[in-house]
Structure formats: C-alpha cells, structure tokens
Amino acid sequence: EHSRRQIRNMEILKKKEFWLSAILLLLCSLLGKFISGFPGATVIGHLVIALILGMLLQLSETLKKVAKGASGFISNKFLRLGIILMGFRLNLMVLAEKGVKTIFLSVIIVCFTIALIYYVAKAFEKKKKLALLSACGCGICGAAAVLAVSPIIKTDEDDDVISVAVVAILGTLFTLLLVAIRPMLPLTEVQYGVLAGGSLHEIAHAIAAGASGGDVALEMATIVKLSRVLILAPLSIILSLVVARKSNSGEKVKIAIPWFMLGFLVSSAIGTYVGIPESVINGLVNLAYILLGMAMAALG
C-alpha cells in the first residue's frame, strides 16, 4: 500500500511539473508574440523572440527546472502540430491562379539557396547536419523549416538553436537592407515583391519588406513566399528518403516518413477548398505560431 501511494504521488508530481512547465512555455510564447508587435521587433519575429525568452529562463535555476518538465514533449509534438496548422494559411488556388511560374521560380530559389549555403558551410568545416539545417531555414521559411527538418535528420538541440539564430540574424539584416535600398532599385512593384518573397526566408520578413513597396509588392511577396513554404513538404519527404537509405554503418534503416508534412498539405487543401471563414483561418494560424513559439521556448 505504501509503494502504491508513493507511485501515485510521483505521478501527481510529474503531472504538476508538466503543466507548470507548459504554462511557463506558453507565457514565453505569448510574451514573444506581444513583443513582436512593437515597431522594430516585427522583423525579428515571434518565434525568435520566444527562443530568446526560453534561453533567458536559464538565468534562474528555479525557472529552468520548471521549464524542463514539458520541454521535451512540447519541442517535439507541438512543433509538428504547429506546422500542420500553418498549412491553413497556404491557399492553393491563389498559387494556381498565379501560374506555374511562381512554383517553378520558388523551386529554383530553394534548391540554389540550400545548395549554396550547405556547401559554403561545409567549406568552413561546419557539421553537415548544422549546415543542412541552416540551409533549409534560409532556403524555405526560416525557423519553422529548421524545426520541421530537425527531427527528420535527427539533429541535437544545440544545432537547432544555432540554426535558428543564424537564420534569424541573416533574415533580419537582409530585411533591413532590402527596405533601405528599395528606392534605389530599378524595379517595378511586382518585381520588388518577387525579390522580397524570393530572397527573405521568414514570412514576417517577406511581408515587412514587401509592404514597404506598396500593396502590389506586398501581394507578390506573400505569394512567392508561400510558394516556397509549399516546398517544405516534398523536401521533407525527400530528405527522409535520403537519410533512410543508409545509416553511418552502411546498414539499411527504416524510412521515417514525416507524416506531419502530409498533415500540412491536407490542412492547406482544407483551407483552400472547404470554404472556412478567414477569421477562423487567422485563428488557426495564430494558434500555430503560439504552439511553435512554445516549441522554440522549450528549445531555448
């Protein structure tokens, strides 16, 4: 009876630790979202701010201990759910209306960017997985892409945090640079929008830069950016197949299909064809970013 009581008390304690941790990480995500709304903080973005807040928790041993209770679960499961919910923002009909050119351009941009960054990082003798994570983040959609690719290629948390930091710093710097030089560029609004959506990796960065060029530039930046996001799903499957072909020992390993990316495509189809009100889609996307913010805080 005494042993049963001890086991029960331990289970209650673990549940308490889990929920306290989840609440703390939720507060980090919500605070990150709030801070990202201030002028200047928009280009940094909600997810990166949540990561920084998670890192700051380590300054307090008490908060650090509390945060660890659910950090493993949240950094794993919540990031997948967040990626799935992000799919509701991707309107497949809008992409189809703009023609195959947008998708084709995005494929070229993503492939070129990933290849360039990966081989440059390798030339500086950086770890292959760290190089690939940073390349995918810069090539596709920033921190969200890093979180999506990380479990597929089985990286450690340090590589995840470093990759997010690299992506965030580069994205912020180039967003500010692009906005600053826009008046000097001999580009139409459409061309500038394509440049912003094709060169900047975070959705927030592309929107911020595109908006500086007018409504047409903003629309084009958003469309090109979202077409790059769409590539995240097939790329994840390709990476999974490549990683699964052979382990380091040369033995065949089981293919780990990233099913959450299938969920991303399904949610995109639902958001496009079911006729969900825009207010509901906005709510689902906001929830996605809150969940991803919790995952980033957990990584921090």
Side-chain angles (χ1 to χ4, degrees):
E1 181 64 30
H2 178 68
S3 297
R4 288 177 184 170
R5 192 178 298 118
Q6 280 186 322
I7 293 172
R8 195 180 306 117
N9 290 337
M10 287 179 64
E11 290 176 349
I12 293 172
L13 180 61
K14 285 183 178 180
K15 287 181 180 179
K16 182 180 178 181
E17 290 175 346
F18 178 89
W19 287 110
L20 285 174
S21 174
I23 291 171
L24 180 58
L25 295 173
L26 174 61
L27 290 175
C28 286
S29 181
L30 293 175
L31 183 57
K33 182 175 177 60
F34 175 74
I35 294 174
S36 68
F38 285 94
T42 304
V43 294
I44 300 175
H46 170 196
L47 299 185
V48 176
I49 295 174
L51 171 68
I52 294 171
L53 292 174
M55 294 171 69
L56 292 176
L57 292 179
Q58 297 188 70
L59 298 176
S60 168
E61 285 298 324
T62 302
L63 291 177
K64 180 181 177 181
K65 184 178 179 181
V66 171
K68 283 187 173 181
S71 60
F73 178 86
I74 286 175
S75 64
N76 186 305
K77 305 299 182 184
F78 277 32
L79 81 86
R80 287 167 168 76
L81 180 56
I83 295 291
I84 291 172
L85 292 177
M86 275 185 64
F88 286 101
R89 171 57 66 209
L90 184 62
N91 191 308
L92 301 177
M93 288 183 67
V94 172
L95 292 179
E97 288 172 5
K98 297 301 177 179
V100 181
K101 289 182 180 180
T102 303
I103 300 294
F104 182 67
L105 175 64
S106 297
V107 170
I108 293 174
I109 291 171
V110 169
C111 292
F112 174 77
T113 305
I114 290 177
L116 176 65
I117 295 175
Y118 178 72
Y119 285 109
V120 167
K122 277 187 64 181
F124 283 92
E125 299 182 350
K126 301 303 177 185
K127 292 191 294 184
K128 289 183 179 181
K129 289 184 177 181
L130 177 59
L132 185 57
L133 270 187
S134 301
C136 289
C138 291
I140 306 174
C141 55
V146 171
L147 293 178
V149 172
S150 171
I152 298 171
I153 62 176
K154 297 179 175 61
T155 58
D156 56 42
E157 291 183 355
D158 288 342
D159 285 348
D160 295 349
V161 172
I162 292 172
S163 298
V164 169
V166 168
V167 168
I169 292 170
L170 290 177
T172 301
L173 288 176
F174 280 101
T175 299
L176 296 174
L177 177 63
L178 189 59
V179 171
I181 66 173
R182 182 192 60 79
M184 297 177 281
L185 297 175
L187 301 175
T188 64
E189 285 193 22
V190 171
Q191 291 170 334
Y192 176 73
V194 172
L195 175 63
S199 61
L200 300 171
H201 27 274
E202 290 283 359
I203 294 176
H205 290 157
I207 290 175
S212 69
D215 292 340
V216 175
L218 174 59
E219 181 184 6
M220 287 307 303
T222 303
I223 290 169
V224 174
K225 177 70 257 180
L226 290 179
S227 66
R228 287 169 65 192
V229 174
L230 180 63
I231 298 172
L232 181 58
L235 178 68
S236 298
I237 295 173
I238 292 170
L239 282 176
S240 180
L241 294 171
V242 170
V243 169
R245 284 187 65 185
K246 287 188 179 181
S247 65
N248 292 333
S249 62
E251 296 177 359
K252 294 286 184 179
V253 295
K254 184 179 178 181
I255 296 175
I257 299 295
W259 295 110
F260 65 97
M261 293 312 304
L262 177 61
F264 172 83
L265 293 176
V266 170
S267 62
S268 297
I270 292 173
T272 301
Y273 299 110
V274 172
I276 299 175
E278 185 66 22
S279 59
V280 175
I281 290 179
N282 288 335
L284 290 171
V285 173
N286 285 332
L287 176 59
Y289 272 98
I290 289 172
L291 295 176
L292 289 174
M294 292 177 69
M296 295 297 287
L299 285 174

